[in-house]
């Protein structure tokens, strides 16, 4: 890894979901490589599928926060445990704990993420918030 300005999950999720001052594409370019892939709870998505999902979430999420509990960088490897606290446009709340293992590109952006999500609060219909499908 040659870039000292590497991304992390808090910055990436804040830009993707909560920062409406930048476009979804700007957020993606800032934090994810063109060849980015993600596996969430066993389901793979390429960058286009991931961004389609995030675009959908931007339409139903009013705001929220990302609370990082543990975070580790080791060369091009990244791992974390975080909780997403999300308020939807209808006023309901969703809380998910997420475990992430990732690979960073030489420029510091995410190239691959594999994650498992644990619903802490919310309805059964909200389970797809954590999913890239």
């Amino acid at each position: 890894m040659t870039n000292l300005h590497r991304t992390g999950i808090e910055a990436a999720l804040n830009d993707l979901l909560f920062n409406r001052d930048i476009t979804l594409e700007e957020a993606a370019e800032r934090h994810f490589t063109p060849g980015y892939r993600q596996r969430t709870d066993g389901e793979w998505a390429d960058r286009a599928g991931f961004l389609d999902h995030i675009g959908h979430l931007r339409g139903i999420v009013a705001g929220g926060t990302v609370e990082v509990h543990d975070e580790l960088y080791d060369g091009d490897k990244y791992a974390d445990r975080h909780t997403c606290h999300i308020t939807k446009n209808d006023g309901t709340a969703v809380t998910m704990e997420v475990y992430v293992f990732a690979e960073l590109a030489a420029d510091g952006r995410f190239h691959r993420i594999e994650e498992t999500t644990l619903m802490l609060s919310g309805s059964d219909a909200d389970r797809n918030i954590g999913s890239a499908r």
Side-chain angles (χ1 to χ4, degrees):
M1 270 245 335
T2 58
N3 187 329
L4 297 177
H5 192 79
R6 56 192 173 194
T7 195
I9 206 71
E10 183 176 13
L13 289 176
N14 280 330
D15 280 349
L16 287 171
L17 293 175
F18 309 128
N19 183 356
R20 303 304 164 97
D21 293 334
I22 63 173
T23 67
L24 179 57
E25 191 56 40
E26 288 171 320
E29 282 301 309
R30 186 178 290 176
H31 301 285
F32 302 91
T33 64
Y36 175 73
R37 291 182 32 126
Q38 178 169 322
R39 184 173 73 166
T40 302
D41 297 330
E43 297 288 326
W44 280 103
D46 61 10
R47 181 177 157 141
F50 169 71
L51 293 179
D52 283 348
H53 176 69
I54 296 298
H56 167 73
L57 292 182
R58 274 190 165 201
I60 64 171
V61 170
T65 60
V66 178
E67 179 184 3
V68 176
H69 308 289
D70 301 293
E71 186 173 50
L72 174 68
Y73 291 92
D74 184 10
D76 66 348
K77 303 296 184 218
Y78 173 89
D80 95 347
R81 180 178 64 92
H82 66 275
T83 302
C84 290
H85 304 275
I86 295 171
T87 303
K88 294 172 30 180
N89 291 331
D90 65 7
T92 61
V94 179
T95 305
M96 301 187 86
E97 188 169 347
V98 184
Y99 302 84
V100 172
F101 290 92
E103 178 185 340
L104 298 166
D107 65 5
R109 294 184 293 170
F110 287 118
H111 184 64
R112 179 183 47 83
I113 287 180
E114 296 187 45
E115 68 180 22
T116 299
T117 62
L118 175 63
M119 174 77 76
L120 300 178
S121 68
S123 71
D124 282 341
D126 293 326
R127 291 191 183 282
N128 70 347
I129 285 179
S131 164
R133 40 185 192 277

